[in-house]
Amino acid sequence: MDLLLLDLVIVLAAARLFGALARWLGQPPVIGEIVAGILLGPTLLGPLIGDKLFGPEMRPPLQALANVGLVLFMFVVGLELDQKLVRGKGRIAVTVALGSTVVPFVLGCVLALAIADEHVGGDKTLPFVLFMGAAMAATAFPVLARILTDRGMQRITLGGLALASAAVIDVLAWTVLAVVVGIAGAGESEGQWKVLLALPYALVMFLVVKPLLARMVPAYEKAGRLTPGLLSLVLLGLIGSAWATEWMHVHFIFGAFVFGTVMPREGAERLNHEILERLEQLAVLLLLPMFFVVAGLNVNLRELDLSSLGTLSAILVVAIGGKLLGSYAAARTQRLPARQSWALASLLNTRGLTEIVILTVGLQKGVLDDELYSLMVVMALVTTAMTGPLVRRIYPDRRVARDIAEAERAALGVTAAHRVLLIVPDPPAEQVPLVGLTTTLALSRSPSEVVLGHLRPYPAGRLEVGSGLSSELAELAETLHDLEALAGTARERGSATRVVSRFSADVAGELPELASGARADLLVLPADVPGHAAVRDGSACRVVTVSLPLPEQAEPGSEPGAVAVRYGSGDDAAAHVALTLAMLWDRPLVVTGGNRASALAQRLSRLEVAAESGAIPEGALIVAADTATAPEGAHLLVRTEQDPDPVDWAEAVAALRAPIRQL
């Protein structure tokens, strides 16, 4: 008994220490807890200390405590599973979940067939193959929820879709695992007929037990709190359900999970919250870390050799490649943008808690040997650890903040307008072509808003009350009149327009502040405005630098000319601006460059756009990317926004045809 208590002290202290270290490193605590178990086991401590502290006689009581924690944890997972996640996202979530499950499952089965002779034999081959497929297809719903919550992504569409897809994957993975466990246990004495009771058990749980549990809600409301009697009833049902599935050779985790899913939902929010408060403290703080440390104790990396490294490489390729490619391809079939598709695939690649539970079941049922179990645990650690950094790189915090702001506006019923800021140079009265170009760019999306920004420098000397002041005020009034006239031309074309104008003692110094305060989606910036470089470099949005004067063909209503773009790698933003002007001005688009330019012209032609590749025609409006190698003679230089999405040209053309119909 004294050794058991000492083991508990060591295990819990190590779990808390390494869990905190993992959290400090930006990783889920489960990674630290599993690493703690690996270090306490034969991998580091070896046979001398490790066998004395955690020898064969100590493993059964530690495993028993860990299994109790697992029962409570699986109940919590079932209880917290939001069944409304899939509503409204059903088609996309199911499609992504199928792609994220089927591809790694098939690849896992193929890999299992290749290595089956080395690790299993005889009647274990079929459950081994199915088990490896299920293990490769798993996604850790609880760890995924934690990663999303830490970054606030559960509040945006991408986060909700990831949770919905993971919920469907969980159902598929547990179903396959139940079949595997049933097949693996069917060869045991007394086990052949008991597995057949799994379906009647599920029907009883959902058709009989679930309505009975709903009666707890009025009892809870009458008592006003979670009484010991109600909590005892929940624990009795939970443990009884876990025992029933274990007796049927379908493993106790399914009984615990199913009992959590049949708990009442409607009107039971406060009841479930109190149940979670009571059980989560015991499960998460004490018994669940015990489970993961004990899982790590079963890992012995000392016994791995070069052949094991080859198997580990194959496991990582199948697990990571299958998940990423299957999820990404499925998301793209639902027309999710490429960035969101990769982020979703990376999120669904996390294994964590769910994977360790599945692997432990496989080890207990004899489907996995010790070597393969160790390799699969390493895979679970790698895929979980890579999720956070990979998603942060694909979907940076700026994108998350922008999506959260859009979600909040949508919740308030506010539609954000596509805002284009034009810095108007002097003299304003001569900038009609510039305003026409800006308005065209604004009308590419609806609703849109044009902001005309203008800073008037203070006159030489101080303004004093007297004859000088009236002339300066008259000059400012004339400027405002010219700006309002420009705004009128923009409004005539259907774009909401407002003017921001004031005197400035330092135009070059204040223009970056004006541009930042406008929170524009697109900035149109003449090349000769004071402080041009500071304004451009300080803006996070797409910036179009305009070399004045523009050619006559650039003004709407003039004789038809062409819009030309120099196109190469990374020039999508410039090509998109050129496409916008060409389509909304009804001009031909000429794409010049190399093979990429020719391919883009052909693609746009197939979309029924008047586009061709070739030399730039004389008098064309030339658009190019704003880079260090920007060509001379370009009228518009386009610098892409921060964290840009790749342009989907079919969607871009379709979006531009709507304003054309309105015009």
Side-chain angles (χ1 to χ4, degrees):
M1 187 64 187
D2 59 337
L3 186 56
L4 175 61
L5 294 176
L6 177 61
D7 284 351
L8 289 177
V9 171
I10 294 173
V11 166
L12 292 177
R16 295 294 294 172
L17 175 63
F18 281 86
L21 179 61
R23 186 181 286 110
W24 181 73
L25 293 173
Q27 295 292 342
V30 62
I31 291 182
E33 292 164 0
I34 298 171
V35 170
I38 294 175
L39 297 179
L40 291 175
T43 298
L44 181 65
L45 297 184
L48 294 177
I49 303 177
D51 286 349
K52 288 184 178 180
L53 289 175
F54 307 101
E57 73 281 359
M58 299 309 302
R59 295 290 178 92
L62 290 174
Q63 188 67 59
L65 287 172
N67 286 341
V68 173
L70 186 57
V71 168
L72 295 176
F73 171 70
M74 292 305 297
F75 167 73
V76 169
V77 171
L79 184 59
E80 289 186 324
L81 183 60
D82 189 352
Q83 298 168 2
K84 296 181 292 185
L85 282 173
V86 185
R87 296 175 191 171
K89 305 182 183 74
R91 180 173 56 83
I92 300 177
V94 170
T95 302
V96 173
L98 287 174
S100 186
T101 302
V102 172
V103 175
F105 179 84
V106 172
L107 293 177
C109 291
V110 172
L111 176 62
L113 287 172
I115 63 175
D117 292 339
E118 302 175 20
H119 298 280
V120 296
D123 58 351
K124 291 290 186 182
T125 301
L126 177 58
F128 172 72
V129 171
L130 294 177
F131 178 86
M132 287 292 289
M136 295 296 184
T139 291
F141 185 90
V143 176
L144 173 63
R146 179 61 183 269
I147 292 173
L148 293 173
T149 303
D150 286 346
R151 297 192 62 199
M153 293 180 69
Q154 81 282 4
R155 300 160 59 189
I156 65 177
T157 301
L158 177 62
L161 185 57
L163 288 172
S165 301
V168 178
I169 294 171
D170 260 10
V171 173
L172 296 174
W174 293 125
T175 302
V176 173
L177 186 60
V179 173
V180 173
V181 173
I183 295 174
E188 303 174 8
S189 59
E190 305 181 9
Q192 297 184 5
W193 63 272
K194 291 181 180 180
V195 177
L196 301 176
L197 297 175
L199 182 57
Y201 156 81
L203 293 175
V204 169
M205 292 298 292
F206 283 94
L207 300 180
V208 179
V209 176
K210 185 173 183 178
L212 291 175
L213 289 174
R215 297 183 181 181
M216 292 198 321
V217 178
Y220 168 79
E221 292 177 347
K222 182 178 180 181
R225 63 187 181 89
L226 181 63
T227 63
L230 289 174
L231 184 58
S232 299
L233 182 63
V234 172
L235 291 175
L236 285 172
L238 167 61
I239 297 172
S241 177
W243 168 81
T245 52
E246 181 69 15
W247 178 78
M248 289 183 289
H249 299 284
V250 188
H251 208 275
F252 60 82
I253 61 172
F254 299 105
F257 179 75
V258 170
F259 191 80
T261 61
V262 299
M263 285 289 291
R265 294 296 198 276
E266 186 135 359
E269 292 81 5
R270 289 175 53 210
L271 169 63
N272 291 338
H273 178 70
E274 286 201 44
I275 292 174
L276 289 173
E277 274 191 336
R278 302 281 184 89
L279 297 185
E280 273 189 318
Q281 292 179 1
L282 179 64
V284 175
L285 295 181
L286 176 64
L287 297 177
L288 192 59
M290 178 78 61
F291 170 76
F292 293 113
V293 174
V294 170
L297 289 174
N298 293 319
V299 175
N300 188 0
L301 300 180
R302 287 191 178 200
E303 297 181 355
L304 303 183
D305 53 23
L306 291 178
S307 64
S308 299
L309 293 179
T311 304
L312 176 61
S313 300
I315 289 172
L316 290 174
V317 169
V318 169
I320 298 172
K323 267 290 181 184
L324 293 181
L325 295 179
S327 304
Y328 176 80
R332 292 294 286 163
T333 62
Q334 299 301 305
R335 304 194 66 80
L336 259 67
R339 180 190 293 270
Q340 283 84 341
S341 297
W342 279 122
L344 182 59
S346 302
L347 286 167
L348 296 179
N349 185 48
T350 186
R351 301 307 202 287
L353 306 174
T354 305
E355 185 71 20
I356 299 301
V357 172
I358 291 175
L359 296 178
T360 303
V361 173
L363 186 65
Q364 292 173 351
K365 293 296 181 181
V367 179
L368 288 180
D369 59 17
D370 291 338
E371 179 189 0
L372 202 53
Y373 172 81
S374 299
L375 297 177
M376 293 293 286
V377 168
V378 173
M379 179 273 288
L381 290 175
V382 171
T383 54
T384 305
M386 67 184 287
T387 299
L390 185 60
V391 173
R392 194 175 296 275
R393 182 171 183 81
I394 295 173
Y395 219 79
D397 291 340
R398 289 186 296 265
R399 294 296 301 250
V400 176
R402 186 162 53 193
D403 287 354
I404 290 175
E406 291 179 1
E408 291 174 347
R409 285 195 295 264
L412 296 173
V414 178
T415 302
H418 178 59
R419 181 175 297 171
V420 180
L421 170 64
L422 168 62
I423 302 299
V424 181
D426 287 319
E430 299 178 6
Q431 308 308 325
V432 173
L434 183 60
V435 173
L437 180 144
T438 303
T439 306
T440 302
L441 294 176
L443 290 175
S444 64
R445 290 176 55 183
S446 180
S448 64
E449 178 186 24
V450 173
V451 179
L452 303 181
H454 179 264
L455 295 182
R456 183 80 175 172
Y458 279 122
R462 293 189 310 164
L463 288 178
E464 297 180 359
V465 178
S467 59
L469 180 60
S470 59
S471 62
E472 298 302 336
L473 289 176
E475 183 180 336
L476 180 59
E478 182 180 357
T479 299
L480 287 173
H481 177 269
D482 292 341
L483 289 170
E484 284 297 334
L486 291 176
T489 62
R491 294 186 187 110
E492 289 176 0
R493 300 193 62 201
S495 180
T497 308
R498 60 189 177 93
V499 174
V500 177
S501 179
R502 65 173 185 266
F503 274 125
S504 171
D506 181 11
V507 173
E510 292 186 24
L511 271 180
E513 179 184 347
L514 172 65
S516 174
R519 298 183 181 277
D521 301 296
L522 174 66
L523 171 62
V524 179
L525 185 65
D528 57 354
V529 298
H532 165 269
V535 178
R536 180 194 61 193
D537 297 341
S539 300
C541 64
R542 181 180 292 184
V543 180
V544 177
T545 297
V546 184
S547 296
L548 297 175
L550 291 169
E552 293 182 2
Q553 290 90 340
E555 188 171 354
S558 62
E559 290 297 321
V563 177
V565 58
R566 295 184 184 272
Y567 184 70
S569 178
D571 295 348
D572 278 10
H576 184 248
V577 168
L579 175 68
T580 300
L581 297 176
M583 289 189 65
L584 296 186
W585 284 350
D586 193 21
R587 311 285 170 83
L589 175 65
V590 179
V591 187
T592 184
N595 293 333
R596 290 175 57 86
S598 177
L600 177 61
Q602 292 176 13
R603 185 173 184 181
L604 294 175
S605 296
R606 288 194 295 269
L607 296 171
E608 300 181 356
V609 175
E612 61 182 25
S613 61
I616 298 176
E618 185 177 352
L621 177 73
I622 304 173
V623 184
D626 190 356
T627 63
T629 58
E632 293 185 6
H635 301 102
L636 305 181
L637 295 177
V638 183
R639 196 206 66 181
T640 188
E641 60 271 31
Q642 289 184 358
D643 309 315
D645 287 326
V647 176
D648 186 320
W649 296 109
E651 289 185 3
V653 170
L656 289 170
R657 288 207 165 107
I660 291 174
R661 288 192 292 269
Q662 294 174 3
L663 294 173

